[in-house]
């Protein structure tokens, strides 16, 4: 009996080690960066989603991993969670963005989940880095535009306007596709989109659906 109990304990420990190793594969931080507790929680959640028998995005999640996660305060709306993905896996994430957000929001109750890709901005001193031409996709403006598209996904942006106040401050107004207004509680996420965009770019933005 003791031998059987010890064998069962051993199998349980091995199972836990396997889960930890698989969870680590879902989190790749930059060199030297120490994973936060939230990083590890999100990585485990994505692994759990992948191995769930009812998962319909198992194949896509196989090679997907995150680079980090952060909580962002959204005033009275509570908290939003931003999950960052390396750019190399973003193409796959984009295909399953809506479904992955739904599954993560189930795991992290009462949090709006926003997914974004990591992108590197090259300043005007890009030649010092050995580049002859700065790709347009790496300019500050292009990266900020891409962040906008990432964080509202899978909803699409159909219009943008910039309002300039008398004091010179700018407010970017983002109009979203009206056909998505009633989907996935998107309307309730509008304050979260604004808070996350402010956190990532230090720019003010207002997200809305067109008025009829």
């Amino acid at each position: 009996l003791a031998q059987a109990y010890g064998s069962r304990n051993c199998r349980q420990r091995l199972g836990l080690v396997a889960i930890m190793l698989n969870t680590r594969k879902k989190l790749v931080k930059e060199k030297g960066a120490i994973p936060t507790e939230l990083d590890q929680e999100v990585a485990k959640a994505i692994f759990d989603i992948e191995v769930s028998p009812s998962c319909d995005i198992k194949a896509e999640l196989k090679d997907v991993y995150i680079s980090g996660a952060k909580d962002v305060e959204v005033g009275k709306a509570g908290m939003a969670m931003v999950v960052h993905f390396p750019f190399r896996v973003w193409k796959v994430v984009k295909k399953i963005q809506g479904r992955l957000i739904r599954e993560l929001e189930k795991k992290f109750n009462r949090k709006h989940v926003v997914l974004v890709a990591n992108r590197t901005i090259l300043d005007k001193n890009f030649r010092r880095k050995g580049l002859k031409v700065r790709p347009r996709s790496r300019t500050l403006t292009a990266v900020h535009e891409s962040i906008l598209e990432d964080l509202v996904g899978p909803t699409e942006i159909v219009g943008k306007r910039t309002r300039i106040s008398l004091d010179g401050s700018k407010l970017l107004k983002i109009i979203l596709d009206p056909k998505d207004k009633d989907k996935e509680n998107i309307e309730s996420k509008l304050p979260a989109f604004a808070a996350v965009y402010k956190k990532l770019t230090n720019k003010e933005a207002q997200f809305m659906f067109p008025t009829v």
Side-chain angles (χ1 to χ4, degrees):
L1 182 64
Q3 188 175 4
Y5 181 75
S7 178
R8 187 165 65 248
N9 268 356
C10 184
R11 285 197 300 271
Q12 287 174 344
R13 284 198 297 271
L14 287 172
L16 287 171
V17 169
I19 290 171
M20 287 174 63
L21 289 173
N22 283 314
T23 297
R24 284 178 186 172
K25 289 178 183 176
K26 294 296 179 188
L27 174 62
V28 179
K29 300 286 288 183
E30 292 182 5
K31 291 179 181 177
I34 299 171
T36 65
E37 187 176 336
L38 184 61
D39 291 341
Q40 294 170 339
E41 286 177 8
V42 175
K44 185 179 184 305
I46 291 176
F47 173 70
D48 288 345
I49 293 166
E50 182 187 339
V51 298
S52 169
S54 60
C55 179
D56 63 349
I57 52 176
K58 192 185 297 284
E60 290 87 349
L61 283 177
K62 182 182 177 184
D63 297 317
V64 166
Y65 52 94
I66 69 168
S67 56
K70 288 181 181 177
D71 280 331
V72 176
E73 205 168 319
V74 192
K76 294 178 181 178
M79 300 291 288
M81 183 172 75
V82 191
V83 184
H84 296 268
F85 292 84
F87 188 74
R88 67 177 69 89
V89 303
W90 182 248
K91 190 175 180 180
V92 177
V93 175
K94 193 79 174 168
K95 291 178 183 177
I96 57 170
Q97 191 169 3
R99 285 176 288 172
L100 183 54
I101 287 171
R102 280 197 301 273
E103 293 300 325
L104 285 171
E105 286 181 341
K106 289 178 191 174
K107 298 275 187 186
F108 296 88
N109 196 21
R110 296 181 182 175
K111 280 187 184 181
H112 293 307
V113 174
V114 174
L115 313 182
V116 296
N118 291 338
R119 292 179 172 87
T120 304
I121 297 169
L122 289 177
D123 59 26
K124 293 179 181 179
N125 296 321
F126 62 91
R127 287 187 177 84
R128 292 180 183 175
K129 297 181 180 180
L131 298 172
K132 292 182 179 179
V133 178
R134 177 173 59 168
R136 186 193 172 280
S137 63
R138 305 285 287 278
T139 64
L140 178 72
T141 301
V143 169
H144 285 185
E145 285 178 358
S146 295
I147 288 172
L148 275 175
E149 292 170 5
D150 289 354
L151 64 88
V152 301
T155 302
E156 293 185 352
I157 295 169
V158 296
K160 295 175 190 173
R161 294 199 301 268
T162 302
R163 191 183 76 188
I164 303 175
S165 302
L166 292 173
D167 62 1
S169 61
K170 294 180 181 180
L171 174 66
L172 188 60
K173 293 193 172 186
I174 308 298
I175 297 102
L176 304 178
D177 193 333
K179 70 178 173 57
D180 293 327
K181 187 174 182 179
D182 299 320
K183 290 182 182 178
E184 311 294 340
N185 300 315
I186 291 294
E187 198 161 16
S188 68
K189 292 184 177 183
L190 301 183
F193 293 157
V196 172
Y197 188 67
K198 170 76 172 176
K199 181 75 173 177
L200 296 179
T201 67
N202 203 31
K203 289 181 178 178
E204 300 286 349
Q206 182 181 0
F207 295 79
M208 64 188 76
F209 288 98
T211 52
V212 179

